[in-house]
Amino acid sequence: MDIQRIPTFFINLDRDTFRRELIEEELARAGLAGERLSAIEGRSVPDWLRSYYGCDLSDAEVGCSASHLVICKRILERGLPYALTFEDDAHLAEHSRDIIEAAIANAPQGWDVIRLIESSSQPFQALAELGFGRSLVRYLRVPRSTTGIIVSTAGARKLLSPRVIREPIDVEIRWPWQLDLNVYGIEAPIVSQKSGVSLESTIPIRQRPKKFNQLQRLVFNVRKFGPADYLRCRFLGANVGVPASQPSFSAVPEASRT
């Protein structure tokens, strides 16, 4: 696989020329050529997205969510199998290109999102070694942040499902049972936010009240992992060495088995 042929997008406000220069430098250093998406500001969303947003989100949250959905639409319109998506405060670790390539190659069939940023606060199941001290993992609790993610065709379709969006894009991915998302990640993460230029500095995101989703998360995880592997992961922690081609839990969404 030639990683430079993997479509790469970055989200950037028109006025943030300095941040555009920073993210272009980051991608070039990693051997990636990114296509800029002019970030949507507030509720100035395209007509085709207007029905998605009510009054549950702040203007900034709408703009961030809509920007990611525009990229999802490009994935489908261009017939792309997947695309890297970065926000313009992303900092990439050394060897990111090789690790991303390995993650895509080892991702179980039916994957929707591979997260590149932030570790989980709970145990995870490691599916494959990616080199450079990294593993492809599946989470018991998906972390927040969409500063760096990979979205597949299937994931783009799910994220574009017609609905009234009531949560920011990072929360929708963090609560995967809502859209039946198959979310994976890289541990240790290969993307971090640049100090002093975080997304919140120009698009402030308000604090949202905590919601209790333990039961939904439990049911979803048991269904996706399978009862035995869920219990092993929950009580024994990370389990490295499970071949991605033969995962020990149900990694393939039900629809793809029919």
Side-chain angles (χ1 to χ4, degrees), residues 140 217-218 221-222 225-235:
L140 286 180
R217 182 178 288 111
L218 172 63
N221 283 338
V222 170
F225 279 66
D229 279 303
Y230 170 77
L231 291 173
R232 276 195 288 269
C233 186
R234 179 69 180 84
F235 295 106

Side-chain angles (χ1 to χ4, degrees), residues 7 10 29 60-61 78 105 109-110 125 131 142 145 156 167 181 183 195 201 203 226 234 238 247:
F10 66 89
R29 183 173 56 82
E61 288 168 337
R78 298 182 187 181
Q109 182 182 357
Q125 185 177 45
V142 178
S145 182
E167 306 296 342
L181 291 171
V183 180
S195 177
S201 65
I203 308 181
R234 179 69 180 84

